[in-house]
Amino acid sequence: MTKPNQYIKIFSRVFLLVMLVLCCMPVFAQEVEPDSTVDEQFQQKIENYSEQTEAEIDYTDMLADLEYFLKHPVNINNAGYDELAALKIMNDIQINNLLNHIQKNGKLLSVYELQSVNGFDAELITQLLPYIKIGAESEKQAFNFKDLFKYGKHDVIIRYQRVLEKQHGYIKETDTAGNVIPGSHYLGSPDKLYLKYRYNYFNKVLWGFTAEKDAGEQFFKGTNPYGFDYYSGFVNVRNIGILKNIVLGDFNIQFGQGLTLWTGLSFGKGSEPVNIKKIARGISPYSSAYETGFMRGAGVTFGFKNFELTGFYSKRNIDGSINGSDTMENTDYYISSITEDGLHNTQSKADKKHAINQQVYGGHLAYKTRSLNIGITAYGLHLDAELIKTPKPYNVFDFKGQDNFNIGIDYSYIFRNFNIFGETSRSSNEYNKKGGIATFNGIMVSLDRYVSLVVAYRYYQRNYQSLFASPFGESGNPYNESGFYTGISIKPHYRLLINANADFYTYSWLKYQVNSPSNGFDCNVGLQYKPTKKITINLRYKYENKVSNSDDEEAAIDYNVPYTRQNYRFHISYPVSSSFTFSNRVEVSRYKNNTTEPEYGYLLYQDIRYKSITFPLAASFRFALFDTKSYDSRMYTYENDVLYAYSIPMFYDKGIRYYVMLKYKISRNIDIWLRFAQTFYNSRSVISSGLNEINGNKQSEIKAQVRFKF
């Protein structure tokens, strides 16, 4: 077991190694492009949202969009709503105010004129600056087939990743006869491989593909004779005449507020206190390595003056468990579960790969003006067999059957500094002919440029069913939840920002590990103070009050036990030179239920980031100490990672974690990343369980990536 004084030695050695590399690398002047790593505001959004959900979230496509706008800033003098909304920085009121300001006063001559736009302050303008520019004339690139291959940009990324310690799944167990025990090991190597290619012609014509092999999956043999376990590709054409958008291959589709139809990234409750309104992208290409929740087929959008018409069709095979005595005769053939982890590293998981055929088809019609947006979405889902889950009290109202139909109406209306928005949807199928209703409605008010307020109400009936929904809410599901939410943002001083929100919610039916109807409450209060332009101090308090089943094994019937969870966070970021920026965080969590004593968790870390406009190396280093009593007092934190990857580890137990990441620009067109992360646990002799089990008290991971642009 590693002793505390050894931690200091490890920390010192890693720190000296980083400094040595920085000092010894050859120095030469070179133009360095804006770093595509997400800024601290986006980082905070990711952290807050991760605390609300256990689901794996993929930010790949959003990071790709941000990087594109860094290199090709939006000319706001000629941009429309869609282009400005794609930045995901301004809300609809601010976008509408900007467009009205330009229409009334003429084109902007300088970014400093943004200060005169209603609802714009120095903080918002600072966030916008990397992604916008001021131009007098339209700079939109006309489509020219001859130039398609001449002026487009190619982007290739290759990534390698691996856990260094031996995991139990890579040790083949044998029986007394020497035969390998089925299911006792992973099929492939512990290497994780990733390949991505993308072509972009002025954001008008795009195509690309993604390939991935997860740890434990086979490569060019066995279950994957054609190489990678997962392949994805698309072709996308935009804004050519009345053809606004067409995607062939893999794509996401987003409409309304996520109640009827929404795939891909969806920031929900917890990400921001006021800007809870979703900004739908319609159809968009899918280039993520996350293997579930997307469409495969074709989607097209036509634009006619103020109208938009979208149609789509998807047909793909998804993972799941098939039960039946005779699948050839379709006798008693049904789907018992749908699997969404995308892993095929054991034989049982490989047997579930692409076992179910899924078809999705439908469309969306929208009427859009600068202040009014009304849309209607309708789509059908068809599986090649009935989905019949193992009956449990909490899943009585879950979708079952072979077909499902959803229809919804969404709206958004802006009047001066008021934005009213929402969506109402209905589902129906052969087992739920009367259908279920879900509705979400809110109003956002910008009282002035220093105060914003939002109030929203949601009501999701327990028998509403949609397999492609991602609405605002506590659980992230579009059913069995109702609630009242309010959030406020106040800027009493140009250096001070206060955010707060509160949410009251109820569940009319049982939930997983909650065997009765229940309710809950949570609130957040955050304060950001900037004593200078480069120093940022964040304070946050979070409170949750929920219920869960008792862990009393002697009880004849599970009963609910209320519990509270609180988090206190202090975070500061400050430069110590033109090249070095330090960040520090102290976080404390407190968990308490009615049957136990309160337990506490502690997290402390130091960040060091290096970046210079004249030096081709960027570096990030973190050293963290954590101490929590159990999973209940866990904490999350965002870590810098290689481009298009992300790391949001969950901390519980007691130990240390550190990582170091280097990015070196070999030339204008070639970048490389190296990342090493390691976690030590004080009181463990075994890490994880099952096939992921590691004998020892440390876990190490390496990651290497190279990027070619041409």
Side-chain angles (χ1 to χ4, degrees), residues 65-66 69 81-89 95 279 281:
D65 289 343
L66 288 174
F69 290 125
Y81 170 84
D82 290 340
E83 291 175 283
L84 297 173
L87 297 174
K88 294 183 172 62
I89 297 175
I95 293 174
I279 299 178
R281 299 181 62 187

Side-chain angles (χ1 to χ4, degrees), residues 257-487:
Q257 294 302 304
L259 271 181
T260 309
L261 179 58
W262 191 289
T263 66
L265 180 62
S266 171
F267 283 116
K269 179 184 161 186
S271 58
E272 288 185 291
V274 175
N275 292 331
I276 64 172
K277 179 185 177 183
K278 296 182 184 295
I279 299 178
R281 299 181 62 187
I283 56 173
S284 60
Y286 184 81
S287 60
S288 171
Y290 193 57
E291 300 181 29
T292 61
F294 62 91
M295 304 292 177
R296 175 166 289 173
V300 59
T301 299
F302 295 98
F304 310 90
K305 294 185 178 180
N306 293 330
F307 289 91
E308 283 185 5
L309 177 63
T310 299
F312 62 91
Y313 175 77
S314 170
K315 183 178 182 180
R316 59 183 293 251
N317 294 324
I318 61 176
D319 297 353
S321 297
I322 303 295
N323 288 39
S325 57
D326 188 353
T327 57
M328 296 296 294
E329 297 294 332
N330 210 31
T331 303
D332 297 326
Y333 172 45
Y334 68 95
I335 302 165
S336 58
S337 66
I338 294 176
T339 307
E340 296 185 344
D341 61 11
L343 295 175
H344 311 111
N345 48 15
T346 66
Q347 191 58 55
S348 62
K349 290 185 176 181
D351 292 340
K352 297 177 182 178
K353 182 179 179 180
H354 298 169
I356 304 166
N357 182 263
Q358 176 194 85
Q359 296 184 65
V360 185
Y361 47 88
H364 176 82
L365 176 64
Y367 173 77
K368 294 183 176 182
T369 67
R370 185 170 296 175
S371 58
L372 177 64
N373 186 340
I374 299 177
I376 180 169
T377 307
Y379 76 97
L381 165 74
H382 176 75
L383 303 175
D384 62 352
E386 288 196 339
L387 173 63
I388 304 176
K389 298 180 180 179
T390 301
K392 300 287 185 181
Y394 66 86
N395 69 12
V396 169
F397 295 98
D398 286 8
F399 167 72
K400 62 180 178 180
Q402 196 168 356
D403 296 275
N404 196 49
F405 178 76
N406 292 79
I407 184 169
I409 297 176
D410 63 89
Y411 68 94
S412 175
Y413 177 65
I414 298 174
F415 176 72
R416 295 182 179 177
N417 290 333
F418 291 80
N419 183 196
I420 304 171
F421 58 93
E423 182 176 15
T424 298
S425 184
R426 181 181 183 272
S427 68
S428 61
N429 55 62
E430 57 185 315
Y431 290 97
N432 186 22
K433 293 182 179 180
K434 292 184 178 180
I437 300 294
T439 184
F440 171 75
N441 300 276
I443 179 170
M444 182 167 55
V445 185
S446 180
L447 301 178
D448 60 32
R449 68 178 62 193
Y450 304 113
V451 181
S452 297
L453 174 70
V454 66
V455 176
Y457 176 75
R458 62 192 184 274
Y459 174 66
Y460 310 150
Q461 288 186 340
R462 58 192 182 187
N463 61 335
Y464 177 76
Q465 298 164 348
S466 175
L467 272 65
F468 298 101
S470 183
F472 178 89
E474 172 64 18
S475 65
N477 296 317
Y479 53 84
N480 187 33
E481 181 176 325
S482 60
F484 177 83
Y485 175 93
T486 183

Side-chain angles (χ1 to χ4, degrees), residues 160-167 190 676-678 694 699-702:
Y160 173 84
Q161 183 177 343
R162 178 169 179 160
V163 173
L164 298 182
E165 286 75 20
K166 194 78 169 182
Q167 294 174 295
F676 177 76
Q678 193 169 58
I694 297 172
Q699 180 170 328
S700 313
E701 182 185 67
I702 58 171

Side-chain angles (χ1 to χ4, degrees), residues 96-115:
N96 190 62
N97 288 344
L98 174 60
L99 295 175
N100 286 338
H101 179 90
I102 294 173
Q103 183 183 41
K104 180 179 179 180
N105 301 290
K107 298 183 183 299
L108 303 179
L109 300 177
S110 166
V111 292
Y112 298 106
E113 291 185 56
L114 290 173
Q115 299 177 72

